[in-house]
Amino acid sequence: MKVIVVGGGAAGIAAAIMSAKNGAKTLLIESESTIGGDLFSGMPILGAYTSRGKRCTSGVIDELSEYVKAFNPRGYLGPICDWRTVYGLCFDPEILRLAALHLLKKYNVQLLLNSTVIEAAVAQGRLKTLQVVGRNGFRSVINCSCVIDASGGGNLTAMAGGDVFNGDEDGLFQPVSLIFRMADVAFEPLLKFIRDNPNEALLAENTVLKKTRQEAAEALYNAGYPYVAISANGKIMGEAIETGKLHPCTAAFITPTSTQRGEVCINATRIAKLNCIDDFSISAALPQLAEQVASTARFFEERIPGFEKASISSIAHRVGIRETGRIKGEYTLTREDVINAVEHCDSIARGAHHVDIHGAGTEQVRIPVRDGLAYDIPYRCLVPQKLKNVIAAGRCLSSDRGANGSARVMGTCIATGQAAGLAAAVLLKENKNDFRAIEPSSIRAGLNLSAME
């Protein structure tokens, strides 16, 4: 009897750790030669803290943090406010990678890398076997007691006959990006530039922060971490876009990743109006995104104080995907659930990120959660209709497009991943054959969610 986790991103890692930690033999299947996805890109872990700075996720995130702090205290930068609307949990991504691999080893999670699920055999709503093919043509048929779909796009659910919705009403998705990092950045001049030119950044968007734009810029400077977005509506970036030196985008989102290396992560590239479930479209986007990385890095070196001696230190190994498929579950989390901070009796995770939907060019929808609170994610959002022994985790949870614009972030993916992993372990321990037979209260208790209230 084994728990199978399909997908080794943030949700899949959390699911595998929690499943194994609770006594289940666990196999984590990943199509790439490593795990992590965007978790180790240097982007902040969003959704783990509310806009008021209150923690709403614990568990696997705590274990990752403890390892990073023990390995190198300077690798844990902690929850940092961008003085726009969010708190991001920031790490040195390379030490975070070591932390995740350490926990998988600690809890005896079996890894199967370079392997793709190509077929699912289903009988009477139960997934019986998965056929997996490896990079070198190796094929294997794996028997299934229960499976966690952490594929990001609900691919396993769709393969097994469940319903999955893709993109917006026209089948379009949020833009794709290529994340990169720059080292030898001088933090103090950059922060001084923002303090003295607050209109060049996205600041004080959320009223719960109770600061003016200038006060927010001062708070950012005093905190000492360049966690800030250079705005396309500012003079410097606006002129670069207008003259064609920089591609159109909402902002260049900067996250600190290492004080030792003077390193930051930059999220600024984008290509919109792609079909993100079409591999030809994603493949064609990569060279264009690489050109945007080059022009963005040049822009920072030439125009943004603190970057005069900086250089590219890392480029993400794959195209970053914001949106693909969402399963049809027993409940669909809605945009209104998110922005109104709605509570649910079967909550097994919480989210706190604003509704965040990127569009073409400079377009972006940003709607904060009411009063800087957190919202509940019901257990039913993880349970696909038509299937009994499959549970979802991460970005593919049952949600409308607005809600998914919040729940897709990594902190919330970790939260739903660990909930799914615990549910799978409980399913096997209690010898049940349908995830609907699991009491959400037992998952909630096992995750100690009441301590977050």
Side-chain angles (χ1 to χ4, degrees):
M1 301 272 285
K2 183 179 289 186
V3 173
I4 312 297
V5 182
V6 178
I13 290 171
I17 289 171
M18 188 59 73
S19 167
K21 184 178 179 178
N22 284 275
K25 292 183 178 179
T26 305
L27 173 66
L28 176 58
I29 302 174
E30 168 56 43
S31 60
E32 298 189 34
S33 59
T34 187
I35 56 150
D38 292 325
L39 184 61
F40 311 136
S41 66
M43 289 194 296
I45 295 180
L46 299 173
Y49 286 79
T50 70
S51 292
R52 294 181 180 272
K54 183 178 179 180
R55 188 170 65 149
C56 59
T57 299
S58 63
V60 171
I61 278 183
D62 294 330
E63 293 196 64
L64 292 169
S65 299
E66 288 165 8
Y67 178 92
V68 172
K69 291 175 185 176
F71 188 90
N72 182 351
R74 294 175 69 182
Y76 178 83
L77 286 73
I80 305 172
C81 185
D82 68 353
W83 294 107
R84 171 179 62 99
T85 187
V86 300
Y87 278 76
L89 187 55
C90 301
F91 295 91
D92 181 325
E94 301 309 329
I95 303 177
L96 183 61
R97 185 194 308 273
L98 294 178
L101 291 167
H102 168 77
L103 290 179
L104 291 172
K105 181 177 183 296
K106 176 181 177 180
Y107 294 116
N108 298 311
V109 174
Q110 181 184 359
L111 291 176
L112 182 58
L113 303 176
N114 298 320
S115 299
T116 303
V117 177
I118 60 170
E119 186 176 323
V122 181
Q124 297 180 331
R126 287 186 56 80
L127 186 54
K128 296 292 188 180
T129 61
L130 296 176
Q131 185 174 158
V132 178
V133 61
R135 184 167 296 175
N136 297 315
F138 171 79
R139 289 175 179 264
S140 179
V141 175
I142 300 173
N143 294 322
C144 301
S145 299
C146 64
V147 181
I148 299 173
D149 184 351
S151 62
N155 302 338
L156 189 280
T157 297
M159 193 179 296
D163 294 323
V164 175
F165 302 99
N166 294 298
D168 65 10
E169 60 274 9
D170 297 319
L172 295 177
F173 300 83
Q174 293 194 52
V176 297
S177 295
L178 190 62
I179 306 301
F180 68 100
R181 306 202 302 264
M182 297 186 75
D184 295 320
V185 178
F187 288 6
E188 203 278 338
L190 171 57
L191 291 167
K192 184 176 183 296
F193 164 70
I194 300 299
R195 184 195 66 186
D196 297 342
N197 301 274
N199 289 329
E200 296 293 338
L202 296 178
L203 295 166
E205 288 186 348
N206 196 325
T207 57
V208 303
L209 297 178
K210 299 186 185 304
K211 289 189 182 296
T212 66
R213 179 183 289 271
Q214 183 62 61
E215 289 170 341
E218 290 281 356
L220 188 73
Y221 177 82
N222 292 334
Y225 289 111
Y227 184 34
V228 66
I230 307 296
S231 175
N233 291 324
K235 181 180 179 181
I236 292 180
M237 194 166 179
E239 286 180 353
I241 293 173
E242 186 176 347
T243 58
K245 293 182 179 180
L246 197 62
H247 57 280
C249 59
T250 302
F253 296 89
I254 303 171
T255 304
T257 55
S258 172
T259 56
Q260 292 172 290
R261 297 189 297 273
E263 187 183 73
V264 300
C265 171
I266 298 177
N267 180 4
T269 63
R270 63 170 56 194
I271 296 178
K273 299 183 179 179
L274 288 182
N275 184 340
C276 290
I277 58 175
D278 175 7
D279 289 333
F280 282 102
S281 294
I282 299 301
S283 301
L286 180 58
Q288 301 175 60
L289 289 169
E291 290 294 322
Q292 292 184 9
V293 167
S295 61
T296 304
R298 282 195 295 268
F299 165 75
F300 271 85
E301 291 166 12
E302 295 171 359
R303 300 301 309 277
I304 304 299
F307 283 84
E308 293 86 352
K309 296 181 180 180
S311 60
I312 293 174
S313 56
S314 176
I315 301 174
H317 73 286
R318 68 176 193 178
V319 175
I321 306 294
R322 291 183 174 89
E323 179 181 21
T324 47
R326 313 180 301 275
I327 71 161
K328 183 177 182 180
E330 294 296 334
Y331 180 83
T332 298
L333 189 72
T334 68
R335 173 183 176 274
E336 287 67 33
D337 286 333
V338 169
I339 63 177
N340 293 316
V342 172
E343 297 179 351
H344 291 272
C345 61
D346 63 336
S347 170
I348 43 73
R350 292 193 181 95
H353 195 59
H354 52 276
V355 171
D356 184 11
I357 302 177
H358 294 248
T362 60
E363 296 175 5
Q364 187 181 4
V365 173
R366 298 192 295 271
I367 307 173
V369 180
R370 175 180 61 84
D371 297 331
L373 299 173
Y375 59 89
D376 284 352
I377 298 176
Y379 177 71
R380 291 163 290 163
C381 290
L382 308 186
V383 181
Q385 293 185 11
K386 301 181 181 179
L387 299 173
K388 296 179 179 179
N389 62 336
V390 176
I391 192 167
R395 189 178 66 211
C396 65
L397 85 168
S398 182
S399 53
D400 67 20
R401 193 170 188 244
N404 200 259
S406 168
R408 65 182 176 83
V409 297
M410 289 187 289
T412 314
C413 287
I414 290 172
T416 58
Q418 65 184 15
L422 179 55
V426 170
L427 187 81
L428 296 189
K429 189 179 297 184
E430 296 183 356
N431 198 29
K432 294 179 178 177
N433 61 11
D434 191 330
F435 275 106
R436 293 162 186 78
I438 301 298
E439 281 294 331
S441 58
S442 66
I443 306 304
R444 184 182 178 88
L447 295 171
N448 197 25
L449 287 185
S450 60
M452 296 292 99
E453 294 175 346

